[in-house]
Amino acid sequence: MLLHCRAGFEKECAAEIQERAAEHEVFGYPRLIKNSGFVLFECYQPDDAERLMRELPLRSLIFARAWFVVLADLNEMDPADRVAAVLEHAELLPKAGKLWVESGEGDDYRSLLTFCRKFTVPLRQALRQRGVLTKAEKENMPRIHLFLTDNQNGYLGYSRSDNGSPHFMGIERLKFPAEAPSRSTLKLDEAIRYFLTEEQEAARLQPGMRAVDLGACPGGWTYQLVRRGLFVQAVDNGPMAENLMETGQVTHHMEDGFKYEPQRKNVTWLVCDMIEKPDRVAQLMGSWFARGWCSEAIFNLKLPMKQRYTTVCDCLNQLTEILDGSGVGFELQAKHLYHDREEITVYLRRRG
Ligand SMILES: C[S@@+](CC[C@H](N)C(=O)[O-])C[C@H]1O[C@@H](n2cnc3c(N)ncnc32)[C@H](O)[C@@H]1O
């Protein structure tokens, strides 16, 4: 399998897939290049990669943004006719609704990605003529992935539309809203789009609902809530953007987010982007739910320089213990989103 992750997080992505695959009795070993933005997970048994893609939800993985099953290695493709080199393996591919020609992340892959974009056009046409790709793009069919490691080598395979990222290389591109006071705003915007369907967003983020934003300044996250019509208690010692205060939807509390207690306990949403030790934040989130102060939360866990995968697992386990111990039913998801850097985003929702 080939998994996409943020460049620099290959070790975490590799550790996670190896551990999670083993739970499904799929054994193998990861191969990775530092700062490449991808990991290859070599399964020992034939067909295990396909079984893993059927059984293990991509959404349950934190560090993998996208993935596909590799069906063929492409080695030393003839630069004069790369299309022919790919077509040699066409009979291995399922009938698909989409083609993605992709590569790694970061400076080393920038020019290769430009090539990928250009190469998509003739390859798509050839695959359509061969009957492997549908004439018009279809969302609910398998996708063909050609991942190039340079302009002559790569991996060919497919992903399932019911268990794969709907975005090219798992990247949700978002436009930065001019009125938002910080680029951090994109993190919460992506989180809402990733964790909630459009219907869930409409039902769970309704105008008039109350939210608390811990570590709110200058207000990028608050902006996303205000834009959706919510009333926000913004907690931070720093200053909030004037234009947000002028909406009349924001109350600024210059307080410590760890000590803040909402006056009225009718908060629907708790969001938190405080730069703090991740275990402290996880415990704080747990205590809000244990005390019944909110019913939904999106928060960041800032990652340390080392032992990042273990730290994430420990924090999520601590949070689970607090919630279980308080008899709170919950749904928990975590993801290293495209707009996250040295942090992951967690979604927590009260159940029942
Ligand atoms: C990454 S910034 C938040 C950016 C914000 N989400 C945005 O979109 O504009 C982190 C903020 O956490 C605040 N912070 C850190 N520790 C805090 C604490 N104990 N209580 C309240 N705020 C805290 C900092 O003052 C800082 O403004």
Side-chain angles (χ1 to χ4, degrees):
M1 303 194 79
L2 191 146
L3 301 98
H4 289 271
C5 63
R6 184 179 183 86
F9 286 81
E10 299 79 17
K11 253 170 53 188
E12 288 71 21
C13 183
E16 184 178 34
I17 187 65
Q18 192 161 26
E19 186 176 311
R20 297 300 312 283
E23 289 168 13
H24 291 259
E25 304 201 339
V26 171
F27 301 101
Y29 63 96
R31 285 200 284 140
L32 53 93
I33 303 170
K34 239 175 138 183
N35 290 322
S36 64
F38 73 96
V39 170
L40 271 167
F41 183 62
E42 303 262 6
C43 304
Y44 292 126
Q45 299 298 327
D47 304 332
D48 263 4
E50 302 201 72
R51 184 160 71 78
L52 202 55
M53 179 160 291
R54 271 198 312 273
E55 293 179 5
L56 176 67
L58 175 62
R59 279 189 164 266
S60 71
L61 295 176
I62 300 168
F63 289 96
R65 281 203 304 252
W67 64 1
F68 69 91
V69 170
V70 175
L71 297 173
D73 288 10
L74 299 173
N75 298 316
E76 304 301 326
M77 284 186 278
D78 178 2
D81 198 352
R82 294 183 184 85
V83 169
V86 176
L87 286 185
E88 269 179 37
H89 305 279
E91 77 283 358
L92 297 173
L93 297 168
K95 178 100 182 181
K98 208 176 231 183
L99 165 71
W100 279 325
V101 183
E102 45 197 39
S103 182
E105 233 191 56
D107 293 344
D108 291 352
Y109 295 95
R110 203 146 301 172
S111 60
L112 189 56
L113 275 170
T114 309
F115 173 75
C116 288
R117 238 188 337 268
K118 288 187 192 145
F119 185 54
T120 306
V121 180
L123 183 60
R124 188 191 287 135
Q125 206 175 0
L127 289 169
R128 279 184 178 154
Q129 271 168 8
R130 187 57 85 85
V132 177
L133 262 184
T134 52
K135 291 266 179 303
E137 284 201 341
K138 291 225 162 70
E139 291 298 332
N140 58 353
M141 286 183 74
R143 295 90 178 235
I144 293 172
H145 296 247
L146 172 63
F147 183 100
L148 296 179
T149 48
D150 59 39
N151 62 14
Q152 280 184 275
N153 296 283
Y155 303 97
L156 180 68
Y158 78 99
S159 66
R160 300 167 60 100
S161 61
D162 61 357
N163 193 14
S165 169
H167 307 294
F168 175 70
M169 290 172 53
I171 298 174
E172 169 129 46
R173 300 229 172 249
L174 297 171
K175 206 167 159 264
F176 175 66
E179 331 76 79
S182 68
R183 287 204 71 79
S184 288
T185 200
L186 296 177
K187 287 193 291 181
L188 186 59
D189 197 16
E190 185 185 359
I192 292 171
R193 289 163 194 263
Y194 176 78
F195 292 117
L196 305 179
T197 62
E198 276 178 32
E199 295 75 36
Q200 288 169 341
E201 184 185 330
R204 298 185 197 162
L205 278 154
Q206 286 187 12
M209 280 179 172
R210 308 215 157 250
V212 170
D213 183 355
L214 302 178
C217 291
W221 283 34
T222 293
Y223 167 82
Q224 291 297 335
L225 300 167
V226 165
R227 172 169 102 67
R228 290 170 169 86
L230 279 79
F231 287 91
V232 185
Q233 310 291 317
V235 183
D236 200 310
N237 274 317
M240 288 295 285
E242 291 271 317
N243 65 335
L244 282 174
M245 298 310 296
E246 282 162 8
T247 60
Q249 285 169 246
V250 183
T251 313
H252 186 187
H253 302 266
M254 292 184 117
E255 283 181 46
D256 181 349
F258 285 91
K259 297 194 181 131
Y260 171 80
E261 181 172 339
Q263 251 179 4
R264 293 165 65 192
K265 309 292 188 286
N266 58 350
V267 175
T268 305
W269 279 91
L270 172 65
V271 300
C272 174
D273 188 24
M274 288 192 287
I275 299 175
E276 248 302 341
K277 289 212 177 82
D279 56 336
R280 277 197 85 196
V281 172
Q283 285 160 16
L284 180 69
M285 299 297 109
S287 72
W288 271 66
F289 277 77
R291 286 181 281 189
W293 289 359
C294 64
S295 45
E296 314 241 3
I298 289 179
F299 55 95
N300 271 173
L301 294 178
K302 312 285 174 188
L303 301 179
M305 298 295 285
K306 288 187 180 159
Q307 304 276 331
R308 295 186 292 202
Y309 179 57
T310 322
T311 303
V312 166
C313 295
D314 288 350
C315 289
L316 296 178
N317 286 339
Q318 276 182 39
L319 178 57
T320 303
E321 273 174 28
I322 294 173
L323 297 168
D324 285 342
S326 317
V328 176
F330 63 95
E331 172 193 337
L332 180 66
Q333 288 185 61
K335 199 77 183 174
H336 198 198
L337 298 171
Y338 176 64
H339 292 92
D340 284 334
R341 290 168 184 270
E342 305 289 315
E343 65 220 339
I344 61 157
T345 303
V346 184
Y347 172 58
L348 180 60
R349 173 168 190 251
R350 181 183 298 277
R351 277 243 171 103

